Amino acid sequence: MLFNSPLSGERADRIISMLALDEHSKVLDIGCGEGEFLTRIYQFSHGHCFGIDINDRSLDRARDKAVMLKAGGKLKYTETDIVKAGLNKNSFDLAVCIGSTHAFGMGDAAYPHALKEMKDLVKPGGLILIGEGFWKREPDQEYLTFIGEPVGVYNTHEENISQAESFHLISLYAVESNIDEWDHFEWSSRMEAELGSNKEKLDHVRKWNLFYRQYGRTTMGFGFYLFRKEL
Ligand SMILES: C[S@@+](CC[C@H](N)C(=O)[O-])C[C@H]1O[C@@H](n2cnc3c(N)ncnc32)[C@H](O)[C@@H]1O
């Protein structure tokens, strides 16, 4: 899987091309996983790119890509929890967090905490790009019970935007994953598990896939939100 989110390479490249980054730009990707999004940002801008994640195995894959690109010190990864990272405020031109707002807090605290902390991290006039789930319709209780999350954990697409605006962030762009990106994301993970040898993982993925087909496909959306911090 390219990304651990319902995101295609085409959409990633389109969004990155809109960010007006250059070789002086300082970019932070929080919960960067295997670094595919940050790698593409580096290839596009040759800026100073920093990825952080708590999963060192994912970071090893991200680092391999940086080595292949001969990025030197301009594409760096650190294993750390964002809450303990102690990053300087007002220091980034762009902060990215795709599918990782739970790094900032549990349940319904995740998204607002991500907005607040990311706003602190970027410079005045800097950009914040968040990939976040949302409810396309009222979720069925059976689905919520299965995914183990309360109703309040996600907003609607509109609420994801208006909540950021209540933090005095300026909305620049918003787009949602399409059904092809969702199906590819969910079914790639099923195919990987089916072709692998981890029985426990396969049982879990099969069940997840069934709930995706029965509920998630029509219930959960995923949006990409680009905001600007006021000057
Ligand atoms: C769903 S994955 C998304 C990865 C990547 N952004 C992507 O779209 O492919 C969420 C990532 O957040 C990371 N993560 C979770 N909690 C974190 C924390 N407290 N600090 C940093 N990273 C965290 C996980 O290890 C995981 O790689």
Side-chain angles (χ1 to χ4, degrees):
M1 236 180 334
L2 209 47
F3 301 99
N4 196 355
S5 311
L7 171 64
S8 61
E10 292 76 18
R11 188 184 306 285
D13 290 346
R14 176 150 60 98
I15 294 173
I16 290 167
S17 72
M18 296 166 74
L19 301 175
L21 300 169
D22 63 27
E23 72 272 24
H24 304 294
S25 302
K26 229 177 132 189
V27 180
L28 172 69
D29 189 343
I30 300 149
C32 62
E34 296 181 3
E36 184 61 32
F37 199 83
L38 196 60
T39 300
R40 287 170 185 246
I41 287 184
Y42 172 74
Q43 286 176 297
F44 189 88
S45 66
H46 288 100
H48 303 269
C49 298
F50 304 93
I52 68 170
D53 203 288
I54 48 172
N55 185 331
D56 213 28
R57 274 175 58 194
S58 296
L59 291 178
D60 280 345
R61 294 196 178 180
R63 289 184 186 111
D64 286 346
K65 295 177 195 171
V67 170
M68 295 242 303
L69 287 173
K70 299 186 171 59
K74 286 195 100 179
L75 181 49
K76 289 197 285 200
Y77 294 97
T78 306
E79 182 195 358
T80 185
D81 182 331
I82 181 62
V83 178
K84 300 177 192 153
L87 297 165
N88 290 335
K89 292 185 175 181
N90 298 306
S91 59
F92 294 94
D93 297 288
L94 167 68
V96 177
C97 183
I98 297 176
S100 312
T101 57
H102 56 281
F104 290 96
M106 299 291 284
D108 58 1
Y111 186 65
H113 281 183
L115 289 169
K116 188 190 166 307
E117 299 297 324
M118 291 169 77
K119 183 180 170 186
D120 281 350
L121 288 168
V122 298
K123 299 172 184 172
L127 301 178
I128 292 168
L129 175 66
I130 303 188
E132 176 73 352
F134 66 87
W135 295 130
K136 288 202 254 193
R137 65 173 178 88
E138 197 71 32
D140 293 281
Q141 188 53 53
E142 207 175 348
Y143 179 55
L144 286 173
T145 305
F146 173 70
I147 63 174
E149 287 175 349
V151 179
V153 75
Y154 294 122
N155 297 313
T156 63
H157 185 51
E158 169 53 26
E159 285 163 351
N160 276 346
I161 298 166
S162 54
Q163 193 165 8
E165 289 175 345
S166 75
F167 283 84
H168 302 288
L169 288 165
I170 301 161
S171 299
L172 295 186
Y173 181 77
V175 68
E176 66 175 288
S177 302
N178 62 31
I179 201 67
D180 178 63
E181 289 169 300
W182 267 111
D183 284 344
H184 180 73
F185 176 51
E186 296 290 347
W187 281 96
S188 298
S189 126
R190 165 96 188 233
M191 190 166 163
E192 194 182 299
E194 292 288 345
L195 299 178
S197 54
N198 185 333
K199 173 84 178 72
E200 207 178 313
K201 186 178 174 194
L202 178 59
D203 287 345
H204 172 75
V205 170
R206 280 184 177 169
K207 207 162 179 197
W208 184 273
N209 182 269
L210 181 65
F211 272 80
Y212 169 67
R213 279 144 49 199
Q214 292 182 337
Y215 298 98
R217 200 167 187 268
T218 52
T219 307
M220 190 179 288
F222 196 83
F224 296 88
Y225 306 98
L226 181 64
F227 305 111
R228 186 166 187 252
K229 179 171 167 176
E230 288 173 344
L231 280 168

